[in-house]
Amino acid sequence: MKRFENRTAIVTGAANGIGLATAQRLLHEGARVLMCDIDEARVRATVQELGFEPERCVALCVDVTQSQQVDACVAEALGRWGRVDILVNNAGITRDAQLLRMSEAQWEDVIGVNLRGVFLFGKAVAPSMVENKRGVILNASSVVGLYGNFGQSNYAATKFGVIGLTKTWAREFGPKGVRVNAVCPGFIATDILRTIPDKVLEKLEDSSWQRRLGKPEEVAAVYAFLASDDASFVNGTCLEVSGGISL
């Protein structure tokens, strides 16, 4: 039997990158997955390309900063499948600038998606998970949320905040059968790095003891482990997936 047979997952930011890789991993291991993203055309095209039957894989356009859309997304999953077993809060953006040059709009945009979005989705799925006395919430933090990073005051603040939410929710929901963990990726080869010059990318590769960027599939594998019963006694952790960048 596949690890996620008869289980339902919601993955945010699922149209590409780590979100897409995670949704694929869960689907291949038997889950029913609601893939949501703010880019409606892209997420719908992605679901069509994956080729899973509509009963198991659904696309939905969701702005994670809007509580009504988040609530509607969770209601859609519950209406279709009767439960939400796994939430992967993956959606995230960057708006990098040094503090003296950072606008309020850059600050608010990143806070909205990376932190408010996690809060809204966690709040939306928690009641049904608590009622079922079972569930897993997985939040996307970052090594930047552990150590900070030049030019990323807004991003670092959100990823530190995600760790705080994760540890707090693990305390609140652990006794109710719901586990909450975070993943802290290092530098992963996704669209979010496309704006970085080649010389900077080379330095990022050298910063890992494995001398390369990570792959989305490698982060997805960690999400799948934490979502599974193999991690049944893992709660409140923030697992670094960085090739040893912090060593």
Side-chain angles (χ1 to χ4, degrees):
M1 183 176 178
K2 295 180 178 180
R3 287 196 293 183
F4 303 115
E5 198 80 40
N6 299 319
R7 296 191 190 179
T8 298
I10 295 174
V11 181
T12 70
N16 59 87
I18 294 171
L20 171 55
T22 301
Q24 285 181 293
R25 181 65 181 257
L26 296 174
L27 283 162
H28 282 300
E29 294 202 45
R32 301 169 297 223
V33 180
L34 197 163
M35 297 174 61
C36 55
D37 199 282
I38 197 169
D39 188 338
E40 182 173 12
R42 190 169 186 180
V43 73
R44 292 194 183 280
T46 297
V47 167
Q48 189 170 9
E49 289 170 9
L50 289 177
F52 287 90
E53 55 269 27
E55 294 77 18
R56 287 194 52 218
C57 186
V58 178
L60 192 65
C61 179
V62 179
D63 181 345
V64 301
T65 70
Q66 302 300 309
S67 59
Q68 289 183 335
Q69 293 187 35
V70 171
D71 290 344
C73 175
V74 174
E76 175 74 15
L78 292 173
R80 282 180 175 270
W81 298 307
R83 59 190 299 123
V84 176
D85 302 287
I86 302 160
L87 168 66
V88 182
N89 268 318
N90 168 76
I93 62 170
T94 58
R95 297 286 186 269
D96 296 348
Q98 295 180 46
L99 178 60
L100 296 179
R101 300 174 182 174
M102 183 174 290
S103 68
E104 289 188 29
Q106 287 173 306
W107 171 266
E108 295 294 345
D109 285 350
V110 175
I111 294 292
V113 175
N114 297 6
L115 192 58
R116 175 180 168 83
V118 172
F119 162 75
L120 290 177
F121 257 104
K123 186 175 175 61
V125 302
S128 65
M129 289 184 175
V130 169
E131 182 178 354
N132 292 331
K133 299 180 181 179
R134 181 186 183 91
V136 179
I137 297 173
L138 301 175
N139 298 325
S141 182
S142 166
V143 292
V144 174
L146 296 171
Y147 313 111
N149 196 34
F150 187 91
Q152 289 194 307
S153 293
N154 48 8
Y155 189 77
T158 61
K159 297 308 184 179
F160 272 99
V162 165
I163 291 173
L165 288 178
T166 299
K167 291 186 177 293
T168 300
W169 293 353
R171 287 174 175 263
E172 292 181 357
F173 298 126
K176 303 178 188 297
V178 180
R179 296 186 294 108
V180 187
N181 291 291
V183 172
C184 300
F187 296 103
I188 310 299
T190 64
D191 289 352
I192 207 167
L193 295 184
R194 285 186 176 178
T195 58
I196 297 178
D198 290 341
K199 289 184 178 180
V200 177
L201 279 178
E202 289 174 6
K203 290 182 180 180
L204 294 180
E205 291 175 355
D206 288 340
S207 67
S208 163
W209 283 98
Q210 292 178 244
R211 297 296 186 262
R212 65 174 175 84
L213 299 176
K215 302 174 184 177
E217 294 77 15
E218 292 173 311
V219 182
V222 175
Y223 273 130
F225 163 69
L226 291 173
S228 75
D229 291 343
D230 293 332
S232 58
F233 202 54
V234 181
N235 191 33
T237 194
C238 301
L239 185 53
E240 187 175 332
V241 188
S242 69
I245 195 173
S246 61
L247 297 175

